[in-house]
């Protein structure tokens, strides 16, 4: 109930999988309803997804790509996946490789 009353400017969220065709996904059914509620009450959502989350599917869809405004990922993320996100209008912030 507290989450229903929570209003945030920017929600930073993690998910278990990113399927560029199906969106952001999770294995925990219990967590999904909470995440959806936060997404609904946030003005902006940034997903934190390392390279291991891409090209995977999980049990339940949290939200489509169009719900999210930004993705933060690591240097190992596949450029093809990041291109799809950018083409969907999502800002992508990618860490640089260590020199």
């Amino acid at each position: 109930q507290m989450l229903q009353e929570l209003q945030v400017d920017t929600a930073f969220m993690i998910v278990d999988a990113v399927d560029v065709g199906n969106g952001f996904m999770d294995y925990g059914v219990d967590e999904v309803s909470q995440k959806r509620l936060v997404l609904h009450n946030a003005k902006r959502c940034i997903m934190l997804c390392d390279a291991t989350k891409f090209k995977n599917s999980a049990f339940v869809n949290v939200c489509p790509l169009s719900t999210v405004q930004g993705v933060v990922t690591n240097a190992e993320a596949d450029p093809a996946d990041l291109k799809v996100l950018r083409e969907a209008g999502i800002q992508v912030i990618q860490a640089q490789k260590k020199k």
Side-chain angles (χ1 to χ4, degrees), residues 38-96:
V38 171
L39 285 169
H40 178 71
N41 291 340
K43 294 177 184 169
R44 187 171 108 128
C45 181
I46 308 295
M47 290 291 187
L48 310 172
C49 311
D50 67 45
T52 64
K53 307 296 186 217
F54 290 91
K55 292 187 176 55
N56 288 323
S57 289
F59 188 59
V60 79
N61 188 288
V62 175
C63 66
L65 295 181
S66 61
T67 303
V68 174
Q69 290 74 38
V71 168
V72 176
T73 191
N74 58 342
E76 292 74 26
D78 186 337
D81 291 328
L82 302 184
K83 180 181 178 191
V84 171
L85 295 176
R86 288 184 180 107
E87 289 174 350
I90 298 172
Q91 178 186 15
V92 176
I93 299 170
Q94 185 177 20
Q96 296 180 355

